[in-house]
Amino acid sequence: MLSLRSFGFSTPVSIGVAPLVSITVLCAIGIFYDVLGARVSATVMVASLAVVCAVAGLVAVAFRCVRSRKGPVATTAAQSLSGTHFASEGSQVDAPCEYSTLPRAYTVSRCLSAGLGGRLRSSLTSSRVDRWGAHLSELPLYVVIGFLVSTVIFVVPLDGPESFVQYSDNLAHMGRIETMAVDGQYSILNTGYYPLDLPIESCPTPDNRGFYPAAFTLFAALGVDLFDYSVTAAENASLLAFMAFVYPVGSYLLHSVLFRQRRGIILAGAFTSMMFVAFPFGLLLYGPLYPNMASMCCAPQVAFLFISTWSPARPVGQRLLYAFHFVVASIALAALQPNTVFLLAVFLAPFCCHALFGFASRAVKGGAFASKGAGVAAALAFALFTVAIWIVCFKLPAFESVVTFNWESLYSVPYGIWTLLSLALRRDLPQYLAAALVAVGFLLAFRRDDRWLAVSYAIMGAIYVVGITMEGPLKQLLAGFWYTDPHRTAASVALLAVPLASLGLGSLTDALYRALPERVKAPRAAHFSVAILFGVAVSYANVMFPNYGYPQGAFHEAYAELTAENKQTKNKLLTFDESAFLKRVAEVTGDDIVFNNPFDGSVFGYSLYDVNVYYKSFMLDDESSDSIVLHSKIHQYGSNSCVQEAVARTGARYVLVMGTSNFKPFQEHTLWSPYTLYPFVHWTTFDKIDPSDPHFKLVLDDGENKLYELM
């Protein structure tokens, strides 16, 4: 953050953008050490981040000190560009645009007296975003509400700080976190499920290490190594950080640049940011799609940087600075989950068309018709350019596996449109009050310069409806960058609904305030108080509003589902008793390889207790011949030489047998659970082990679960 302050960004902007810059720099540092062949600790990673930021900050300070020698000249130029006047020493510079373009006149001696580590006052001062008078009431409100809602919906349902959901996607997240922390290998270009030190013969499949958008994994792995957290505790802490801090601060910055001096709407954004179940909580309920959620939590900051770059009264140098940090922050998004970049394209393309329309209309002289025609032509040209780029990306080999993935359609077109209008979305639980606020904001947007917000929302809504109701090339082209996954497109709709809901709620708040008697409006804090009270009332009603025809509201359903998923009950892959047994297994086996059936829950032993199980994932593509032999004939270890040779090559010393009673009949060769499908016909060898066989020494037994040592 201090590094960004030295570049001249205000404190709120620095707070909001710092996480994204840090993610990008950490990813670069991890790649750098990987290229060198060095495996490092989290302490070294964080220290390297501090060094990079300190160097960048010192360069910025030095540049500004040198530039201050030309202060009068620069000031004159800035005055001519912005039309503002230089404020007296110690006063606030105000500009007609959102940001003032005037630096404070620091002399070289003042820079030196402040020290190289001293913080220079921002040269990007703003009438709102850079004045703490506004932030002391607005920014903390966003963070407090974000923290409270995240705590109630996400933290309270946890069955302790180390609880976790057992869906296969989370197994992948946890496995990558554990491997990254164990390896000391933090490169997102070289990730995998199996540790680097594990011989290839001891892996059931080729690990095929390579690029994966693992910035979230990196963030959590640093917590594992740096603070000695468990994988699940680090994962939960990381999720809370993104939901309760990164996202609310970014949402505040975006609202500030979108609505500028309309304080009622900005205050409303503190409530609407957490008003929709589809985002962020919907991405916790299915998958879970943690990296996607983290990436989308960072999207408002990136949008803020991009929109700020377009401020016409700002000097070119400042606009380039914002543009540079926009690129850096976009890299962070791609490192977390690339489809958020396409979400931002949907959001910002209409903004660009709107801005180009205004610019071209003002630039062309010759009457209203000519100027409007030039504006329309410029906007249309950019729209066609955006479509062309979208199609090019769709055709790129790098995206082929993503855009060709298909989720079968779930709804009819009319019902899909209804779920969009009611904000029931993929969860099929309407949020009528939130939908009404979005509808009000959508209509109001066309009365002002906010109409592009409505266009962005309409485009994303169309992508959602097409993806969840249709099949064919159009579906793949529009929704393919989200894997045609309705959970992801629903979350995207919810995120783009936030500014419109803020516009609706803020406008209603302003109308309510204007209707109050003058004596009530007299106190200075009256408008703020009305906005808070009305926002609280609407938020409460949004949670408690009855959903006619449905057993409970969307937030109640999310809370109940997260509570159920975090408990290790009998229907889970890994029950509480099995987890306790795995902990005992870890104490006995140490670093020795434990042959296991991943579908009985033992696959979680690796990330939970560092048990060196042979199968660390459900993914068995390109399975080795030794793996096939072992999971079909391990019970013949004492009599089959092929099995003995496979055991010798893999280095397996123990065999772990746990229960699979949670699975239900599904198909002839497959059993079902909510968490994964179990091809049980290929894993019957575990049930055939004879405890009296002298080649299997029973080491641990709790009645249902057993650990054997191969003799």
Side-chain angles (χ1 to χ4, degrees):
M1 189 192 87
L2 294 178
S3 175
L4 290 170
R5 290 288 288 127
S6 67
F7 275 98
F9 288 109
S10 69
T11 299
V13 174
S14 299
I15 292 173
V17 176
L20 282 75
V21 174
S22 298
I23 288 171
T24 299
V25 174
L26 283 170
C27 289
I29 292 171
I31 294 170
F32 173 75
Y33 283 124
D34 181 35
V35 171
L36 293 181
R39 295 163 65 176
V40 299
S41 66
T43 303
V44 173
M45 288 288 294
V46 174
S48 301
L49 172 65
V51 169
V52 171
C53 292
V55 170
L58 290 175
V59 170
V61 169
F63 174 77
R64 292 177 64 187
C65 287
V66 171
R67 187 182 176 193
S68 68
R69 297 177 181 176
K70 304 176 181 180
V73 177
T75 299
T76 303
Q79 288 173 345
S80 65
L81 283 170
S82 66
T84 59
H85 64 276
F86 209 84
S88 60
E89 182 64 30
S91 65
Q92 177 68 38
V93 178
D94 285 320
C97 59
E98 184 203 350
Y99 288 97
S100 166
T101 61
L102 300 180
R104 297 219 179 167
Y106 276 94
T107 62
V108 176
S109 61
R110 187 170 298 174
C111 291
L112 295 176
S113 65
L116 289 177
R119 293 184 303 172
L120 296 176
R121 290 291 182 183
S122 174
S123 64
L124 306 180
T125 52
S126 164
S127 54
R128 170 163 296 276
V129 179
D130 284 320
R131 279 207 307 230
W132 270 109
H135 307 315
L136 288 176
S137 59
E138 296 169 2
L139 178 57
L141 183 64
Y142 276 75
V143 176
V144 168
I145 293 176
F147 179 79
L148 288 176
V149 176
S150 298
T151 298
V152 172
I153 303 299
F154 171 66
V155 177
V156 174
L158 295 176
D159 189 21
E162 297 183 345
S163 67
F164 63 100
V165 298
Q166 298 187 18
Y167 289 108
S168 56
D169 279 22
N170 197 31
L171 171 65
H173 304 327
M174 292 165 59
R176 289 182 186 275
I177 293 170
E178 173 70 10
T179 298
M180 192 171 278
V182 167
D183 286 345
Q185 164 60 271
Y186 295 96
S187 171
I188 64 172
L189 301 182
N190 190 14
T191 68
Y193 296 110
Y194 294 87
L196 289 170
D197 291 336
L198 197 65
I200 187 63
E201 294 81 11
S202 299
C203 300
T205 65
D207 201 12
N208 296 325
R209 298 176 73 96
F211 169 75
Y212 184 80
F216 176 79
T217 300
L218 187 157
F219 190 80
L222 290 176
V224 172
D225 190 16
L226 199 61
F227 303 110
D228 198 26
Y229 285 171
S230 66
V231 166
T232 49
E235 184 180 63
N236 290 331
S238 300
L239 291 170
L240 182 62
F242 279 100
M243 280 188 292
F245 179 75
V246 175
Y247 172 53
V249 174
S251 186
Y252 169 70
L253 294 177
L254 182 59
H255 278 79
S256 296
V257 77
L258 289 178
F259 303 111
R260 306 196 179 190
Q261 299 303 318
R262 290 179 274 176
R263 193 183 187 209
I265 300 174
I266 295 173
L267 288 171
F271 298 95
T272 60
S273 296
M274 306 299 288
M275 188 171 279
F276 305 95
V277 170
F279 178 79
F281 307 111
L283 298 179
L284 306 180
L285 293 168
Y286 177 80
L289 304 173
Y290 293 156
N292 221 136
M293 188 276 293
S295 183
M296 291 178 65
C297 284
C298 298
Q301 286 92 325
V302 182
F304 162 79
L305 290 169
F306 183 84
I307 294 172
S308 297
T309 304
W310 283 68
S311 180
R314 184 179 296 120
V316 174
Q318 290 183 13
R319 299 174 74 175
L320 289 176
L321 187 63
Y322 270 90
F324 171 76
H325 283 86
F326 163 74
V327 172
V328 172
S330 297
I331 294 172
L333 286 192
L336 286 162
Q337 175 49 253
N339 64 41
T340 306
V341 176
F342 293 92
L343 168 61
L344 280 178
V346 172
F347 182 61
L348 294 173
F351 166 78
C352 293
C353 292
H354 175 78
L356 287 171
F357 174 85
F359 175 79
S361 298
R362 290 189 299 268
V364 174
K365 307 299 180 183
F369 182 80
S371 61
K372 293 294 184 183
V376 171
L380 183 60
F382 187 84
L384 293 175
F385 172 75
T386 303
V387 171
I389 294 297
W390 189 281
I391 294 174
V392 168
C393 291
F394 181 78
K395 295 291 186 179
L396 288 176
F399 292 110
E400 182 178 4
S401 62
V402 176
V403 299
T404 57
F405 192 92
N406 184 55
W407 279 73
E408 293 185 6
S409 59
L410 300 173
Y411 300 150
S412 65
V413 173
Y415 192 76
I417 295 174
W418 162 247
T419 62
L420 173 66
L421 297 178
S422 65
L423 288 177
L425 300 172
R426 175 61 186 91
R427 304 295 302 173
D428 203 18
L429 289 166
Q431 290 190 262
Y432 295 119
L433 189 55
L437 291 177
V438 172
V440 171
F442 188 90
L443 295 175
L444 290 175
F446 284 96
R447 297 175 54 187
R448 312 181 62 120
D449 285 341
D450 306 315
R451 60 182 63 89
W452 67 269
L453 290 172
V455 174
S456 295
Y457 181 73
I459 294 172
M460 194 65 239
I463 291 173
Y464 161 78
V465 171
V466 169
I468 204 169
T469 64
M470 299 181 182
E471 297 292 345
L474 180 62
K475 172 182 178 177
Q476 302 302 139
L477 177 63
L478 294 181
F481 293 108
W482 291 267
Y483 298 89
T484 66
D485 180 357
H487 300 88
R488 301 178 203 249
T489 54
S492 300
V493 167
L495 184 58
L496 298 197
V498 170
L500 294 175
S502 301
L503 182 58
L505 179 59
S507 299
L508 293 175
T509 302
D510 291 341
L512 177 62
Y513 176 75
R514 289 192 297 269
L516 295 175
E518 289 300 324
R519 59 184 179 82
V520 177
K521 294 190 289 186
R524 189 174 182 180
H527 195 181
F528 178 79
S529 301
V530 170
I532 298 302
L533 292 175
F534 190 56
V536 170
V538 170
S539 298
Y540 179 79
N542 180 57
V543 173
M544 303 305 295
F545 197 87
N547 283 333
Y548 300 106
Y550 295 84
Q552 55 190 346
F555 276 97
H556 293 88
E557 176 69 20
Y559 178 87
E561 189 169 335
L562 283 172
T563 300
E565 293 302 334
N566 277 283
K567 294 188 180 300
Q568 292 180 306
T569 51
K570 290 294 183 182
N571 67 324
K572 301 294 172 56
L573 291 179
L574 186 68
T575 66
F576 180 81
D577 292 338
E578 289 172 337
S579 182
F581 186 77
L582 278 177
K583 196 170 185 178
R584 294 172 60 195
V585 169
E587 296 171 353
V588 171
T589 59
D591 294 331
D592 292 325
I593 294 176
V594 180
F595 188 70
N596 67 308
N597 176 358
F599 298 95
D600 63 14
S602 59
V603 68
F604 288 103
Y606 172 61
S607 51
L608 291 177
Y609 304 115
D610 202 22
V611 179
N612 193 9
V613 289
Y614 182 65
Y615 295 104
K616 297 176 172 65
S617 168
F618 293 132
M619 298 179 65
L620 295 176
D621 299 333
D622 299 322
E623 188 178 4
S624 70
S625 58
D626 285 343
S627 173
I628 295 173
V629 168
L630 290 176
H631 72 64
S632 60
K633 301 178 181 179
I634 189 64
H635 65 286
Q636 300 176 7
Y637 172 67
S639 58
N640 190 320
S641 60
C642 291
V643 176
Q644 292 170 355
E645 291 170 1
V647 167
R649 281 191 294 268
T650 59
R653 184 179 173 186
Y654 295 91
V655 176
L656 177 60
V657 180
M658 294 171 58
T660 56
S661 59
N662 58 294
F663 286 94
K664 307 299 181 185
F666 180 62
Q667 294 176 345
E668 183 179 359
H669 302 298
T670 306
L671 298 177
W672 175 91
S673 85
Y675 308 100
T676 191
L677 296 178
Y678 176 27
F680 70 97
V681 294
H682 302 298
W683 300 86
T684 57
T685 183
F686 290 89
D687 299 325
K688 299 176 183 178
I689 295 176
D690 184 358
S692 63
D693 188 332
H695 295 92
F696 292 88
K697 178 184 177 182
L698 187 61
V699 179
L700 292 176
D701 183 3
D702 68 354
E704 183 177 0
N705 308 298
K706 297 175 174 60
L707 176 68
Y708 297 99
E709 183 178 3
L710 295 173
M711 306 303 292

